[in-house]
Amino acid sequence: MEVFEIIKNGPSENRIDVVFMGDGYTPSEKPKFLSDIRRLTSDMWGAQTFASVLPLFNIWAVFAPSNDSGIGVGGKPKDTPFGLYRDGTELRGIYCSKPNEARKACTLTGPAACDYPSLIANDDYYGGLGGEFVISTRSNISGTVVLRHEMGHNLVEVGEEYDGGQVYSGVNSEPADRPLSELKWAHWFTDPDNIAEQKSVVRVQDYAWYDLSHGAYTLNFSSDGTYARWGLKISASGVDVDDAMRVSVDGVGLEWRGVGHLDRSFFDVRADSGFEKGDHTLTFALGIPAPPGAPIRQLCSVQLIEYAAEPAFHMDNSYISAYPTISQSGTKTYRPTNEGCLMRNMGLPIFCSVCKEGLWTSLLSRLHLIDTITTTCPGPGAPLITVTPLPLAQFRPGGDRGRDVERFAVRWYTRPAPSRLARQAVGGAGQIGNGTTEAWRRVRELDDLFVGTVHPGMWRVEVEFRSVEVRSEGGVMEGRWEGRVEGC
């Protein structure tokens, strides 16, 4: 196996290390593997999703040569290092049959450099899994879609936001019996003076995983006729050409266009009028059959929601309020936005403001805001203290994002250092000989400086990171150093 540094931003002891390990890449496919990992890394950290927190990460790639190319299907792994496989042939979950081998491979990056292992399948179509190993594929269409959603669960304390799931917890979820003014994202409300549950109802929630060659697939539902509009969300695979799949509501066909590829894709259909009171039918049928040997034309999932008119339901995805989410068991919780977060809409490359704040606080809670402190004597006279924080704000390698977006605040404090004899008497360097502690004195002339000329004695440096993407800091946005500085 070979280890490659894709992005190196600092020591693993004070960075978040993500390790990508390929499965099903033969020795001759090593260039393909490295190209895939660089592309996925660029999609994740060079674009919108994790771009603002990139300096907190190191990204690694482990090439494990495989005897077979690709991954298994039908529950049978191929001869690959980590034994990835699909349960059937549907574009859904991908499982690891050799987790111990994956754990061993991840340790090749170093004893402190395997925070988040990820397995990338040499497969051109949608599939993956969350958990200890974030699993995705090399797919140009959906590889990043799966990766950023599942890795989002690991990097941030977030649950699902889509309807029909099971795990609703974390910074983006609240129980429906919680007073709206007390939701944990209340400090992000778009209109805090007019908070109300956004009125909508799920009429259809179905994970079909249905091969359309078996015949039409019909879903029946009822409406009470009180809603002003509706939205239909569909995911399907194998629908590359126009008329590959036919969709109708109450016998009226919806306009459908192929996506030009066979991978799983996500579709939205909106209507500006509601359903009449009574029973309705949603039908999916095969149009043009799939060519021999091609992936099946498969209906993966269907969701139909009715919405109230504005302002009872704000459709704007940037609006933050209390949007209802219905679990698989019918339990209602709240989420922050309509469709404004990749934790609900996997087609999006961005987190909502609430999840982005959770990302910052989660990552910084695991790191030290101050990377290093050095004390030097550049010449006769007073010593020099140099503070090196995490590479954020003006220390970003790619350039400062601007003080109105993020900045550091630095505060310096001092107090006399006890003599060696006094330290021996009380057993500590921070106490005066009589056992009392002298108060720290703020040195304001050093405010917001990262290099300070100081006198011998005890010194404390406090560094605070401020970002417009964080409104509720939770105590993880500060770092502190204390130490004794000797004279030159």
Side-chain angles (χ1 to χ4, degrees):
M1 295 187 187
E2 295 180 72
V3 176
F4 300 88
E5 289 182 0
I6 305 300
I7 294 176
K8 184 70 170 179
N9 280 318
S12 291
E13 292 78 8
N14 201 36
R15 294 296 184 274
I16 305 296
D17 288 271
V18 173
V19 182
F20 289 117
M21 298 172 284
D23 196 49
Y25 289 88
T26 63
S28 65
E29 292 177 304
K30 183 170 75 170
K32 175 184 176 183
F33 164 74
L34 290 173
S35 176
D36 289 341
I37 299 307
R38 291 191 175 102
R39 170 175 51 83
L40 291 170
T41 298
S42 177
D43 288 347
M44 294 276 284
W45 282 273
Q48 295 168 293
T49 311
F50 299 111
S52 65
V53 295
L54 171 60
L56 307 182
F57 284 87
N58 292 328
I59 313 298
W60 305 81
V62 175
F63 177 68
S66 175
N67 290 326
D68 289 339
S69 180
I71 63 171
V73 296
K76 297 179 180 179
K78 289 186 175 183
D79 186 4
T80 64
F82 311 122
L84 295 185
Y85 68 94
R86 299 180 186 273
D87 248 350
T89 57
E90 71 270 13
L91 304 186
R92 196 177 183 183
I94 295 177
Y95 304 92
C96 176
S97 63
K98 301 177 182 177
N100 286 335
E101 295 303 313
R103 295 184 188 109
K104 291 177 185 177
C106 197
T107 63
L108 297 176
T109 56
C114 182
D115 296 317
Y116 294 102
S118 179
L119 302 175
I120 303 300
N122 184 17
D123 187 274
D124 291 329
Y125 299 113
Y126 181 100
L129 200 67
E132 177 185 0
F133 305 104
V134 170
I135 301 175
S136 187
T137 74
R138 68 169 302 275
S139 168
N140 280 287
I141 304 299
S142 62
T144 308
V145 169
V146 174
L147 194 61
R148 64 193 175 206
H149 180 92
E150 298 300 345
M151 195 164 288
H153 283 302
N154 284 3
L155 296 177
V156 196
E157 187 186 353
V158 292
E160 305 296 3
E161 289 191 13
Y162 54 77
D163 299 284
Q166 300 179 36
V167 182
Y168 297 93
S169 61
V171 300
N172 60 340
S173 182
E174 286 277 39
D177 59 0
R178 181 72 51 83
L180 299 185
S181 61
E182 298 178 11
L183 298 187
K184 62 184 65 138
W185 56 84
H187 55 288
W188 284 103
F189 283 156
T190 301
D191 188 358
D193 296 327
N194 295 287
I195 297 301
E197 178 182 318
Q198 302 296 294
K199 187 179 180 183
S200 64
V201 61
V202 177
R203 298 299 188 195
V204 175
Q205 181 66 59
D206 187 74
Y207 290 96
W209 303 110
Y210 181 74
D211 184 345
L212 292 170
S213 68
H214 295 162
Y217 190 85
T218 300
L219 294 165
N220 299 309
F221 65 97
S222 298
S223 174
D224 60 11
T226 63
Y227 288 83
R229 48 197 170 160
W230 56 265
L232 177 63
K233 296 178 70 68
I234 304 166
S235 70
S237 59
V239 291
D240 54 333
V241 297
D242 292 353
D243 206 31
M245 178 172 65
R246 295 171 180 169
V247 185
S248 61
V249 179
D250 293 335
V252 179
L254 302 179
E255 184 177 345
W256 192 262
R257 291 286 181 266
V259 292
H261 59 79
L262 297 167
D263 207 354
R264 185 180 177 188
S265 298
F266 299 82
F267 308 89
D268 285 287
V269 179
R270 301 282 181 180
D272 292 329
S273 59
F275 289 104
E276 295 182 358
K277 183 177 181 179
D279 296 331
H280 302 271
T281 301
L282 184 59
T283 303
F284 301 85
L286 180 67
I288 300 173
I296 62 174
R297 304 208 193 283
Q298 184 176 60
L299 175 65
C300 302
S301 64
V302 182
Q303 181 186 63
L304 191 147
I305 301 178
E306 285 196 272
Y307 306 97
E310 305 280 344
F313 187 96
H314 289 85
M315 196 68 72
D316 181 355
N317 285 335
S318 66
Y319 194 90
I320 299 178
S321 185
Y323 288 83
T325 306
I326 307 301
S327 74
Q328 188 178 61
S329 63
T331 302
K332 181 169 73 174
T333 55
Y334 291 128
R335 65 182 189 276
T337 69
N338 176 23
E339 301 279 346
C341 187
L342 64 86
M343 301 313 297
R344 178 171 175 85
N345 181 355
M346 293 181 68
L348 284 181
I350 59 172
F351 289 107
C352 68
S353 297
V354 174
C355 291
K356 177 61 73 67
E357 177 182 76
L359 177 66
W360 274 111
T361 57
S362 175
L363 296 179
L364 288 178
S365 70
R366 308 173 209 181
L367 304 175
H368 301 291
L369 200 57
I370 299 174
D371 249 348
T372 61
I373 294 281
T374 57
T375 303
T376 57
C377 287
L384 206 65
I385 295 179
T386 301
V387 181
T388 305
L390 288 171
L392 303 170
Q394 65 265 44
F395 293 89
R396 280 183 177 270
D400 193 348
R401 300 172 75 197
R403 286 180 60 82
D404 58 332
V405 177
E406 64 182 31
R407 62 189 178 93
F408 284 112
V410 185
R411 297 179 294 273
W412 295 70
Y413 301 85
T414 188
R415 69 184 184 192
S419 67
R420 181 173 60 84
L421 183 62
R423 293 200 305 274
Q424 290 174 346
V426 300
Q431 293 178 312
I432 306 303
N434 61 6
T436 63
T437 302
E438 185 171 324
W440 291 100
R441 177 179 63 83
R442 179 116 174 237
V443 185
R444 294 187 179 275
E445 58 266 30
L446 295 179
D447 276 3
D448 294 335
L449 297 181
F450 289 89
V451 179
T453 301
V454 301
H455 58 71
M458 293 297 299
W459 283 87
R460 173 194 289 174
V461 181
E462 295 178 352
V463 177
E464 181 183 71
F465 177 68
R466 301 174 183 175
S467 170
V468 296
E469 295 176 340
V470 179
R471 294 184 182 179
S472 177
E473 296 178 358
V476 300
M477 308 293 286
E478 294 184 352
R480 175 192 292 182
W481 171 87
E482 290 181 11
R484 178 185 172 90
V485 178
E486 304 291 349
C488 292

